[in-house]
Every structure is written in C-alpha cells, then in structure tokens.
Amino acid sequence: MTNKKRYTVTSALPYANGALHLGHLAGAYLPADIYVRYLRLLGKDVVFVCGSDEHGAAITIRAKKEGISPRDIIDKYHSLNKETFERLGISFDIYHRTSAALHHETSQEFFKLLYDKGGEFEERTNEQYYDAEFNQFLADRYIVGTCPKCAHEEAYGDQCENCGSTLSPRELINPRSTLSGNTPELKETTHWFFKLDKHADWLREWVKEGTLEGAQHHDPKTWKNHVTGQCLSWLDGEDGLQPRAITRDLDWGIPVPLEGAEGKVLYVWFDAPIGYISATKQWAKDNGKDWKDYWQSEDTELVHFIGKDNIVFHCIVFPAMLKAHGDYILPVNVPANQFLNFEGRKFSKSKGWGIEQHQYLEEFKDFPNKEDALRYTLIRNAPENKDSDFKWDEFVDFHDNELVGNLGNFINRVVVLTNKYYEGVVPQVNSDSQVLKDAFALVQTFQKNVEAFKFRDALQTFLELSSLGNTYLQDVSPWKVWKEDPESLEVKECLSNCIQIVTILSVLCEPFIPFSSEKIRSLINLPKVENGDLQKLLNQLQNKETLISEGHQLGEPELLFAKINDRKDASRMQLIEKQKQHLEDILAAEKANDRAPIKPEITYDDFVKLDVRTGTILTAEKVEKADKLLKLTVDIGLEVRTVVSGIAKHYKPEDIIGQQVLLLANLAPRKLRGVMSQGMILMAEDENGKLVFVQPGETWGNGHQVS
RNA sequence: GGCGAGGUAGCUCAGCUGGUUAGAGCGCCAGAUUCAUAAUCUGGAGGUCGAGAGUUCAAGUCUCUCUCUCGCUACCA
C-alpha cells in the first residue's frame, strides 16, 4: 500500500453470460473487498468499482440459438451477479454495466481520442467469412470444413484437430458456418488494430523495474512473481507484442465512432476495461465527486484485482491504452490470483462440478453463518500464489476449529465471565499491560500482511490474536482467583484486557468477516464498525488509551457461530454431507456412463472395407520430440509395415518386441512427426485411459485376416 | 518434445537477497484446566528439506544434471 490520497480499486468485470462460482469469488472479488474494506477502516478515500461486461459474440450467438434477445440474457445475469455479490457482502461502491449509455460514450470518446491523436491505430482490410442467415462475420472457431491437408471433414477455421495443421478459414474446403450450417460467403471488411508493439519498451521497463519515464512508479518487488513472469514472457516472447484488433463485425456492442464503420463494434478487451472508468464516472455523478480525481491524479493508487487469466490485459494491454491516451494513471499493482479448484478438480459447469455463488447461498440458506463461513474458508485457502483446492472437509475444519473453537469461544468466554462477575460492566482498566502490547504488535503484523496483499497471512495473524487472548485467559485463570477473592484486582484487569482484545478483533475482522464483525460489536454493545475505526484504534493503542472504557455495559452472551460438526444438532453437517454426496453421484454417473454409446449402424459392406491383419512387432523405438509415439515395424506376413502408434505412455519399446497384434492394414498412410505410418495397431482402452493390445487368443501366424 | 509451476513432518503448506539445534496449522500421543459450543492451554513424537554432483568457511536457500507431479501445448488413441 502506498500512502496516496485516494484509492481506485477494481475487480474484473464478470461476463454477463452466466453465474459466477466460488473460484471467481476467491480470485477477484473477495480479495478486492478485503483490501477496500481495510482502506476504508483506515479512513482512506477509496472507490471500489465493478460491473457486468455485456458485449461480445458469445451473448449474441446464445441469444439467437435460444430465440431470445441479448438484452434478456444480460439483464438476467447482471441482476443475478449484482445481487449475489451484495448478499455475500462484496461492498462495491458501484456495480455498473457496459450496456449503459455512459459507458458507450466513454468508450467511444476513448477510441476517438486515440484515433484522432494518430499513430496508435492502424487499419487493415481483408476478406472474412460471413454468415448471411445470421447476418454476421464468423470468428475462426465458428467455421468448420474439410482440412486441405488430411481431408478430415470437421476441421476448425484455425486448426485441424485431426492432423494438427494450423489453418486459416480460407484454406478449408467446403467451409460451413456452425451457426446456420450454411456455406459462408467471403466479404471484405476493415478493422482497426491497436499498435501494442510500439509500447513494448516502456512496458518492459515499467514491469521489470517499476519505472515510468525515468521516475519510480511502484516497487516491482511488491508484484507477485507469476504476474511479473507472465508479463515478461509476453514482452520478451518470440514474436513480442503484436498489433491487436480492437474492432469486430457485430451488431451487439459499442459502435465504432467513425464514418463508414457501420456494423462494427469495439472488441471486448478494448471496451471492458474502460468499464472501470465509466463505472467510476457514474459513481462520481451519483455522489457529487469528480471522477478524474480517481483516474487522472498522481495522488491516486490504482489497483486491479483479477484472476490469472486476465494478467496480460491488465498489465500490458490496458496500461498501454491508458498511456497512449496520456491523461491516465497506471495501476500500482495487479495482485492477480491463481485458480481455485474444487475437491481436486477444475470447476466445470457442464459436469456440475463445483458450486456457484448463488447456489451456495441457496443450498446453505438455513446455515446461520453462511456468508462469513464461505468468506473465511475462501480466504484461508486462497490461491494467492499457486492454485489451491476447496474441500468441504476443510470448510468444516476451518469453521469449527478456527471460527468457533478459537475466535467464537474466546469472545464467548470473555462476555460470559464479565457478565457473571460484573453484570456485564467493564471493570477497571489498565491499558498498559504486556498482553495489550503483544496484541498491538500482532495488529501491526496484520496490517503489513494486508497491505502486501497477503490476505491468508493476515487471517492467520488475526487468529493468533484470538489465540493470544485464549492463552492469556488460561494463564491468569480468573475463575480460580475469583473463587479465592471475588474483589481481586487481577481478575478485573484480566477481563478488562480481554475485552480490549475483543474490541480489536471486532475491528480487524471486519474486512474478512463483516457480518460477524457486526455481531461481535453487538455482543460488546458497540456500534457497527465504520470508516476510520481502525485508524482510531491504532492511535489509541499507540497512545495507550483505552479502547472501551471502564463502566461500559456489555451485551448479553450469545453464541457467535454454530458448529457444523455438532453432536447435538446434525442439521448443518447434513448440508455438507449433501454436497459431498452430490459430488460422489457425479463421479458414479461418470463411471457408469463411461462406456461410449454404440456408434451409428453400418452395413456389412462397410465392415468388409476394413482389412485387419494379424501381425508381430519386430522393432520398436521412441519417436523423437513426441511423448506418446512409438515407431514400430510390424510383420504382417506379406510385408513388414512401419507404424507409428501413440502407446509410448503405456509400453516400453523393448517390452513389446515379439508382441502379436492386430493391424488395420488398409488405412491411408499418414505422416506423424516426420515418420510415415502405414496402418494402425488395434488397442482397447479402459475408463482410465489405459491401453492394451488386442491380439489373437493363441499364437498365430502373421498376415491372416480378421473377419 | 516446448513453455510454466512445483516436489520441505501423516495431511495442507511457510521458509525474502545462502549463516546458529528447519517452522506453522490440522491430525496423532500425553498432560493441565473447567469460564466456555467435548471448546481452551501446555508438552511430545514425527523431516538424510525429490536424487546426485558442484560453488562456498557455510545450501531447502545459488549452478548443473537427473527424476517425478501438475497445468498449458504439440504429437495420439
């Protein structure tokens, strides 16, 4: 954290074509929310913006296929995501949308300014395939056709998956649109490209050294390794930076603000990051602020929170745009997170693997602490520097051990004891005791961690503070002293110190578990934490002032958190078991469905076209520069064939010499990794992908037919 | 094969620019305690830091080689 006057914090704009899952939350939204809430607690001037990214071909295509309008789709997901974030306590100052008129204007102005300035864009005209029925130009992957190299009939416009050739759509024989199935026509079209390449030099210096035009802009050591690494691999990559198209032929998006550019819109990655700016504008308008203070003032720190898939856009492309424009500040940090997996696998919507944010809220609607339980677990195990894994068992452990056993229990002990001994009134205070000094030290460590975007460590430090309280309480054991002497000063001091610690906890936890913070405050009968409260607390600790004064009346004891693994009430554990069962069902279903369905019927004539022969492997060797390929020579009686087979992962060359096999002998020859393969070895594959030779059941001569 | 990340206690992981007996949490074992949601506190066991070589007075920490894992990618089935 720099000591700037203002802070502009952004979270990646979600694409309004679907719901978000826990990985998104852990990656870009929760960390940003924590940082922002922390800044607010310090009394900083901060704006936290986000919103829906609502343009792009995926939305129009889906709309056409479903027979609804793009507007229907974006409205649905915009409200779903906005509302879900709210319910989870993600405290955006504004959740805007890129379909808003203000955003269209802002993007067009931005484009126009770069265009008029000259030197930033170039125009390129070429012919592209066009689907007349769907009335749009086709991206490469929306075109299929016959591969010119291997005659595979389902090759994509950019690549043939059969022979691996890199293709361009024009090379396909019999191209078809995947939208309408029709043959697309070629049409000439013009697009604008942003000359990213001309920005490479200063970008490299900016990323590597943190300097901008000779001046120190940020400390590059504060950037995460994987962020810097990925940027440099782009900047120093084989082809370096290339001009990138920033327009598309589409009827859904922001029209290119130029004469003769009808039917063209700004491409998503040009338009989406500008969404941060337009969101800020709208917020400023609604709140009587000047948006320029937050984007064009050197006194402002800009931070983008994103997932690792977005690093290049936020560390290279968008900064280049901002710099090209000239009036804008650049991000001081882009603390991108890696990915969160779910129970050992990637989130997969189609397979039902994982859980979406709104689903979680729905499934756990009867769980008392659902928002903070989730926030806590996701941060506790956030993919800050490497991919991490969400597990239900850990969710239960973290919740029950740390939130309930450590934090909740400490607070409860303190409130119960104070109520028992002093009717809930804060006893005599000594704000200069050692335990409070220790607590202050932990608060400072906590701050250091948050400011370095180490939220996992911050949470751990937070928990250490709660542990400090438990240990202290145990050491003094006021319940023992009390039995001897109910008027003991030691007991009063101990409990008062504990109450001070609870007060600190109630503030520190607010960025992470805001709902619980409020509950803790009500237990100690203080108002909800508000902006600047942490700063106030720091000053008080520094000056050894009391945080909560003698005579203050606490609230009634009440349990903060309910254990999940509760012997008296199984209901919460059942929620978890249900989730785990759901995953097991998916796995079981996968296993059951693993046998591929029977292919479409063929005739006997089709079958007899195959010439399968018995054979024996004579020699085998690895094919160079290929992990899976073995080059075999196979004796099929009449002749010896050279066959390349993808079995290197399953068999060592020396182990299969003499192996009897079945060979598809009349398959068209094909070159693989430079070796001509004359036929194909028949293999059987099980559900784990294990391959095994298919062979005659007894020793058999070579060259006999299989029928 | 290429690119990237990584192999540190049973599990999940910290260990920055090389420097005293390698750490935390969970789990396990033992004990203390009863204010508290079978919570808490204390102590203990457990690691030749993937393998080998090298640089160095000194290496999880630097260099090289090898090996294995994961992701992307290429080649497949």
Side-chain angles (χ1 to χ4, degrees):
Chain A
M1 191 187 88
T2 52
N3 209 8
K4 297 274 172 112
K5 213 168 177 176
R6 269 174 241 97
Y7 296 80
T8 303
V9 178
T10 74
S11 281
L13 304 189
Y15 197 47
N17 190 31
L20 299 179
H21 57 61
L22 301 190
H24 296 118
L25 186 59
Y29 305 100
L30 251 189
D33 187 54
I34 289 164
Y35 190 61
V36 165
R37 284 175 179 269
Y38 173 80
L39 292 174
R40 292 191 191 122
L41 282 185
L42 286 177
K44 304 285 188 186
D45 181 357
V46 42
V47 63
F48 181 22
V49 303
C50 192
S52 294
D53 169 16
E54 307 183 304
H55 297 133
I59 285 174
T60 58
I61 287 166
R62 176 167 165 188
K64 277 173 185 163
K65 284 190 171 163
E66 294 181 12
I68 52 181
S69 72
R71 172 61 61 180
D72 293 335
I73 295 176
I74 63 171
D75 282 352
K76 175 175 169 190
Y77 290 108
H78 175 74
S79 14
L80 176 69
N81 289 333
K82 182 172 194 280
E83 185 198 331
T84 307
F85 281 135
E86 263 169 33
R87 292 172 66 192
L88 287 165
I90 307 296
S91 59
F92 299 126
D93 289 304
I94 181 167
Y95 193 78
H96 203 230
R97 50 196 310 183
T98 62
S99 58
L102 177 62
H103 175 67
H104 282 227
E105 286 161 26
T106 306
S107 303
Q108 288 180 330
E109 274 169 27
F110 202 110
F111 179 94
K112 201 74 191 345
L113 188 137
L114 293 196
Y115 181 84
D116 292 341
K117 199 173 170 187
E120 297 295 342
F121 294 161
E122 66 184 51
E123 236 174 274
R124 293 184 185 176
T125 301
N126 60 6
E127 285 189 317
Q128 281 183 15
Y129 278 119
Y130 182 81
D131 187 323
E133 186 180 325
F134 272 67
N135 202 21
Q136 71 180 54
F137 280 91
L138 297 166
D140 291 355
R141 65 188 163 158
Y142 288 115
I143 305 165
V144 294
T146 304
C147 173
K149 306 208 168 115
C150 73
H152 176 60
E153 290 180 6
E154 299 292 327
Y156 290 101
D158 52 349
Q159 195 186 34
C160 171
E161 299 218 315
N162 188 48
C163 68
S165 325
T166 304
L167 302 172
S168 72
R170 301 275 299 273
E171 293 177 77
L172 292 176
I173 303 160
N174 297 324
R176 309 187 300 282
S177 162
T178 59
L179 302 183
S180 64
N182 300 337
T183 304
E185 53 195 81
L186 276 174
K187 265 178 93 164
E188 196 165 81
T189 182
T190 300
H191 286 291
W192 285 267
F193 286 66
F194 178 42
K195 293 181 176 173
L196 207 50
D197 45 319
K198 72 175 250 195
H199 294 282
D201 288 337
W202 72 260
L203 276 168
R204 188 179 296 106
E205 190 189 308
W206 179 66
V207 169
K208 221 176 194 164
E209 317 292 343
T211 53
L212 190 59
E213 285 159 359
Q216 200 65 37
H217 175 266
H218 63 266
D219 179 358
K221 275 185 273 184
T222 59
W223 284 33
K224 297 188 185 188
N225 276 337
H226 67 272
V227 174
T228 312
Q230 192 174 330
C231 292
L232 291 178
S233 88
W234 263 68
L235 289 162
D236 297 332
E238 264 176 58
D239 305 323
L241 297 182
Q242 297 295 324
R244 292 182 68 103
I246 51 169
T247 59
R248 286 281 137 127
D249 290 294
L250 208 64
D251 56 5
W252 179 247
I254 300 171
V256 175
L258 296 175
E259 296 249 340
E262 288 74 32
K264 295 182 196 301
V265 296
L266 298 179
Y267 190 28
V268 57
W269 60 259
F270 189 85
D271 130 36
I274 294 175
Y276 299 139
I277 299 171
S278 28
T280 312
K281 279 187 178 174
Q282 184 62 51
W283 167 82
K285 211 187 243 179
D286 298 342
N287 291 276
K289 306 266 189 176
D290 182 358
W291 71 271
K292 287 186 177 173
D293 287 344
Y294 295 84
W295 281 94
Q296 303 189 345
S297 161
E298 292 300 329
D299 284 341
T300 299
E301 173 183 305
L302 173 64
V303 180
H304 298 304
F305 284 87
I306 54 169
K308 67 175 165 185
D309 50 332
N310 257 325
I311 289 174
V312 171
F313 292 126
H314 288 78
C315 298
I316 292 181
V317 179
F318 190 42
M321 286 165 59
L322 295 172
K323 181 85 166 11
H325 184 289
D327 292 339
Y328 285 88
I329 53 171
L330 300 190
V332 162
N333 207 331
V334 183
N337 275 332
Q338 308 251 15
F339 287 152
L340 181 76
N341 289 320
F342 189 82
E343 293 282 2
R345 293 200 196 182
K346 283 185 194 173
F347 280 86
S348 164
K349 195 177 177 118
S350 57
K351 288 179 187 155
W353 195 262
I355 185 165
E356 288 166 355
Q357 299 176 357
H358 70 285
Q359 260 182 325
Y360 170 86
L361 289 173
E362 178 58 25
E363 302 267 330
F364 283 73
K365 62 176 187 289
D366 298 325
F367 185 86
N369 185 36
K370 56 185 172 303
E371 300 87 1
D372 281 348
L374 182 64
R375 290 177 65 114
Y376 187 86
T377 306
L378 290 181
I379 287 303
R380 179 71 171 66
N381 190 25
E384 286 182 348
N385 292 304
K386 60 178 82 163
D387 291 357
S388 64
D389 198 7
F390 178 96
K391 293 192 184 77
W392 286 116
D393 285 342
E394 282 188 351
F395 177 85
V396 175
D397 279 352
F398 292 155
H399 183 270
D400 284 2
N401 292 338
E402 301 179 3
L403 285 182
V404 183
N406 196 324
L407 177 66
N409 186 227
F410 171 63
I411 293 169
N412 186 239
R413 297 170 85 183
V414 172
V415 176
V416 166
L417 282 171
T418 310
N419 270 283
K420 203 174 251 182
Y421 299 160
Y422 308 113
E423 285 156 349
V425 175
V426 178
Q428 189 171 336
V429 173
N430 170 9
S431 53
D432 193 24
S433 52
Q434 185 57 42
V435 69
L436 292 180
K437 288 177 193 157
D438 294 345
F440 189 26
L442 284 173
V443 173
Q444 288 168 318
T445 307
F446 172 89
Q447 287 192 272
K448 229 191 309 180
N449 286 330
V450 174
E451 291 174 16
F453 307 107
K454 293 179 177 172
F455 303 122
R456 289 172 68 145
D457 289 349
L459 208 53
Q460 197 189 320
T461 309
F462 168 76
L463 216 65
E464 278 173 36
L465 183 58
S466 161
S467 273
L468 174 72
N470 273 319
T471 307
Y472 172 68
L473 203 53
Q474 201 71 28
D475 280 351
V476 180
S477 296
W479 49 90
K480 282 185 186 166
V481 185
W482 169 264
K483 277 180 194 153
E484 303 293 317
D485 174 16
E487 292 304 315
S488 162
L489 205 66
E490 199 185 358
V491 175
K492 289 181 178 166
E493 193 175 313
C494 172
L495 281 180
S496 126
N497 283 339
C498 286
I499 295 166
Q500 308 294 314
I501 293 174
V502 172
T503 310
I504 299 175
L505 289 170
S506 76
V507 178
L508 289 198
C509 76
E510 197 273 347
F512 296 87
I513 45 174
F515 300 91
S516 305
S517 169
E518 204 175 333
K519 284 188 206 153
I520 299 172
R521 300 291 282 189
S522 104
L523 281 179
I524 54 178
N525 193 23
L526 285 180
K528 205 176 143 176
V529 170
E530 55 185 45
N531 291 358
D533 271 4
L534 178 56
Q535 191 56 56
K536 204 168 117 195
L537 186 89
L538 291 171
N539 296 340
Q540 288 169 325
L541 285 169
Q542 186 70 53
N543 301 330
K544 297 186 173 135
E545 292 166 20
T546 57
L547 311 176
I548 187 167
S549 47
E550 189 176 335
H552 177 86
Q553 174 69 50
L554 301 190
E556 290 293 314
E558 195 184 325
L559 293 184
L560 260 181
F561 307 108
K563 276 190 101 171
I564 298 172
N565 211 345
D566 186 340
R567 351 159 88 206
K568 283 162 269 175
D569 177 0
S571 65
R572 290 179 292 281
M573 201 58 199
Q574 277 164 9
L575 291 174
I576 300 291
E577 293 302 339
K578 194 178 149 201
Q579 291 300 321
K580 288 165 77 171
Q581 188 56 48
H582 174 62
L583 296 179
E584 275 173 33
D585 291 347
I586 292 176
L587 291 176
E590 266 179 21
K591 217 165 195 177
N593 292 334
D594 206 53
R595 310 291 188 274
I598 303 296
K599 292 178 188 171
E601 189 173 282
I602 61 169
T603 63
Y604 179 73
D605 289 343
D606 290 326
F607 170 70
V608 293
K609 285 182 189 164
L610 300 177
D611 193 336
V612 178
R613 300 289 179 128
T614 57
T616 304
I617 296 176
L618 299 179
T619 66
E621 59 182 284
K622 282 217 61 170
V623 175
E624 275 192 35
K625 296 184 181 177
D627 285 353
K628 298 183 189 169
L629 301 183
L630 290 186
K631 177 181 166 188
L632 313 173
T633 52
V634 182
D635 183 351
I636 53 167
L638 315 155
E639 56 186 292
V640 174
R641 292 284 187 90
T642 298
V643 176
V644 176
S645 183
I647 56 174
K649 285 261 162 87
H650 302 84
Y651 293 97
K652 287 187 198 154
E654 61 268 28
D655 292 345
I656 57 170
I657 310 248
Q659 171 75 45
Q660 285 223 301
V661 297
L662 295 181
L663 180 86
L664 178 57
N666 62 338
L667 182 67
R670 191 177 131 194
K671 224 177 194 183
L672 296 171
R673 281 275 134 191
V675 181
M676 189 59 81
S677 178
Q678 308 164 295
M680 190 168 110
I681 306 283
L682 268 46
M683 309 291 294
E685 182 177 7
D686 73 5
E687 71 271 18
N688 299 318
K690 189 184 168 189
L691 296 177
V692 65
F693 288 102
V694 177
Q695 58 178 312
E698 56 191 87
T699 307
W700 205 255
N702 292 331
H704 302 297
Q705 283 195 303
V706 175
S707 60

